[in-house]
Every structure is written in structure tokens, then in C-alpha cells.
Amino acid sequence: MSDLRPVPGGAPDEGAPSGPDLAGLLRQSARGDESAFAEVYDAVSAKVYGLAVRVVRNPAQAEEVAQESLLEVWRTASRYDPDRGSPMAWILTIVHRRAVDRVRSAESATRRDAAYHDRNRSVSHDETAEAATASLEAHRVRSALSTLTEVQREAVELAYLQGYTHTEIARALDLPVGTAKTRIRDGLIRLRDTMGVGSGR
């Protein structure tokens, strides 16, 4: 399978049959049937890319994640167990795992670069004052967080203290993504009001 790059937003040809038997096609793919896998690819590539781009938020990286995921589907088709869920759910689970791994890998690389920069940069004359100011601001934020409801604080801390994406937060808290976003938004509004930050208007 030499070319598995999905076309962003692509969809199967209008003349293609609707609702293919993905479970059957995966069984054929597991036996090395490339034409069966091509049908799987046509049926799922748009959804695979769509999920990848929602998680990694970078079209180029989403294409790479989609390609890697589809290759994994091809290589591990024999592992699909219809008793444990639908073919599409199995495929999208693979995509989500790879996309989250890509995000975490990128965040880890960013932290390593930042740490290297901090270790090797020159110390400026006002660094102590800046550190003290940052410490005071952090104390204000922690105090303000204590005024949030438990569900708001949980969502805000996951987003801004632990660096999780909205999708990861929704998955971690077993919530729809929209609900997770609402909790974060409401928490930030309350934090702004508690800390006396102007609305900018």
C-alpha cells in the first residue's frame, strides 16, 4: 500500500455503494486482500482525517496521523473483534490514540526545548523581580481557582495547568466536547471576575 495519504475533506465517489460491510472488508484485509482494504480506505478516510485534525489541530500533522493510522488498520486488521464494537469505532480508536500520542510528543519536545533555553540563556538583571512577580501572580491564580465550582476547577486545571486539549478533557471526564468547553469557558469567566481582570471592552 504505497499511497495512503487521505484527501482532506474527501469522500467516496458518488457512484460507490453506500454502507459497505466494513467488518467483512476488514476480515478480507486481514488475509492480505488489498482491494478490500482499498474499500475500507475509501469509506473511512474522511472521518479518519477529520478526527486527526480535530485532535492535533495541524493539517499537515493530521495527514501524517491519518496515514499512520490507516497503515496500522491494514497491518492489524486481524485484531478487529466485532464483539467489542463496530469497525468504525475500532478504527477511530486507533486514530485517536495516535493523534494524542502525536500531541503529547510535540508538547514534550516543546518543553525540552524550553528547558534547554532556560538552562543556557544569560541571566538578566531583573530576573529576581520577574520571578517574584510570577510567584505572586501564581498565588492569585490559585486563590481564584478555589472560588470555582468543582467541575469548573477540574476542567480549567486540566486545560491550563496540565495542558490537555478540549478533546482529551472531554474523554478524561466522560463528557461531550461541547460540555467540556462550556465548563472551561464558564470557569475562565469566573476567574476573570474574581481576579478583577477587565473584559477589554
Side-chain angles (χ1 to χ4, degrees):
M1 310 304 294
S2 58
D3 183 10
L4 290 176
R5 186 172 67 86
V7 178
D13 293 340
E14 291 187 4
S18 60
D21 176 15
L22 287 178
L25 291 171
L26 285 172
R27 284 195 298 271
Q28 292 175 258
S29 299
R31 294 192 293 268
D33 187 334
E34 293 190 10
S35 63
F37 180 71
E39 290 187 56
V40 173
Y41 174 89
D42 288 341
V44 307
S45 60
K47 288 185 179 180
V48 164
Y49 176 81
L51 175 58
V53 80
R54 283 196 300 274
V55 176
V56 303
R57 301 179 183 180
N58 178 297
Q61 289 197 21
E63 286 189 4
E64 292 179 8
V65 168
Q67 179 178 1
E68 292 168 0
S69 301
L70 287 165
L71 281 169
E72 183 173 345
V73 170
W74 166 246
R75 293 174 182 139
T76 64
S78 61
R79 298 181 190 172
Y80 169 64
D81 181 357
D83 293 333
R84 299 183 65 181
S86 70
M88 184 60 74
W90 179 71
I91 291 169
L92 293 182
T93 297
I94 291 173
V95 179
H96 185 267
R97 184 182 68 246
R98 282 192 169 271
V100 169
D101 286 348
R102 177 65 65 97
V103 170
R104 289 176 177 164
S105 176
E107 290 174 348
S108 178
T110 298
R111 286 194 295 270
R112 285 197 302 271
D113 290 345
Y116 177 83
H117 174 74
D118 289 344
R119 286 195 304 269
N120 291 279
R121 68 185 175 88
S122 299
V123 179
S124 62
H125 68 281
D126 60 346
E127 185 175 54
T128 301
E130 289 176 356
T133 300
S135 178
L136 289 171
E137 187 65 20
H139 177 74
R140 287 184 67 211
V141 171
R142 285 195 297 272
S143 297
L145 280 170
S146 68
T147 68
L148 303 183
T149 66
E150 183 177 349
V151 294
Q152 289 172 345
R153 183 170 62 252
E154 187 174 39
V156 170
E157 287 179 346
L158 285 171
Y160 293 96
L161 300 184
Q162 299 185 41
Y164 284 86
T165 66
H166 288 162
T167 301
E168 289 177 299
I169 292 169
R171 186 179 180 88
L173 301 181
D174 194 23
L175 297 170
V177 174
T179 301
K181 287 182 179 179
T182 298
R183 288 186 182 181
I184 294 168
R185 183 196 64 212
D186 292 347
L188 290 178
I189 290 171
R190 191 163 179 175
L191 277 178
R192 183 195 66 194
D193 294 341
T194 301
M195 297 176 70
V197 179
S199 64
R201 289 186 296 177

